[in-house]
Amino acid sequence: GIQSFCKDLLEVADILERATESIPKEEIKDDNPHLKSLYEGLVMTEVQIQKVFKKHGLLRLDPLGAKFDPYEHEALFHTPMEGKEPGTIALVSKIGYKLHGRTLRPALVGVVKEA
């Protein structure tokens, strides 16, 4: 039962992250106080939800640069990439999560392949 609830909350965390990332950093300044306050509120909310997740055993999987693991990652595509070892993760399209050590949602990734 808790897994379903957690999966639903992950969507909320994703939306918060996208909202935070969508605000241009160069626009967050003192002469734009409303946008700055909105951004700071989004960041604080994002930090708090991650604290609550961690408290209950729900941990982020952000595997950029890690070795591909089919138990934790779902490969969306393979691409050649100079300077990167084949089998490593080159791009994370969606962060994954583990609940008490078990993959709840795999990270959606792009994996380096042989050139």
Side-chain angles (χ1 to χ4, degrees), residues 43-55:
V43 168
M44 286 189 287
T45 305
E46 203 175 352
V47 167
Q48 188 60 37
I49 201 167
Q50 289 301 325
K51 282 182 184 176
V52 171
F53 285 175
K54 188 173 183 178
K55 177 181 174 183

Side-chain angles (χ1 to χ4, degrees), residues 19-31:
T20 304
E21 290 172 353
S22 72
I23 299 173
K25 302 297 182 251
E26 63 274 2
E27 296 292 323
I28 304 166
K29 46 190 167 189
D30 290 331
D31 65 348

Side-chain angles (χ1 to χ4, degrees), residues 32-109:
N32 198 345
H34 299 296
L35 183 63
K36 185 176 179 185
S37 293
L38 175 65
Y39 178 79
E40 289 170 352
L42 287 170
V43 168
M44 286 189 287
T45 305
E46 203 175 352
V47 167
Q48 188 60 37
I49 201 167
Q50 289 301 325
K51 282 182 184 176
V52 171
F53 285 175
K54 188 173 183 178
K55 177 181 174 183
H56 294 281
L58 188 60
L59 303 176
R60 281 173 64 105
L61 291 175
D62 190 359
L64 187 63
K67 201 79 170 148
F68 178 77
D69 179 347
Y71 296 105
E72 294 184 354
H73 315 129
E74 183 177 325
L76 298 175
F77 62 89
H78 290 82
T79 184
M81 190 174 276
E82 276 197 40
K84 300 278 185 176
E85 184 181 334
T88 59
I89 296 170
L91 174 101
V92 178
S93 176
K94 196 170 197 177
I95 299 292
Y97 283 87
K98 281 183 149 188
L99 178 62
H100 299 295
R102 294 181 59 202
T103 302
L104 181 64
R105 181 178 82 186
L108 303 181
V109 300

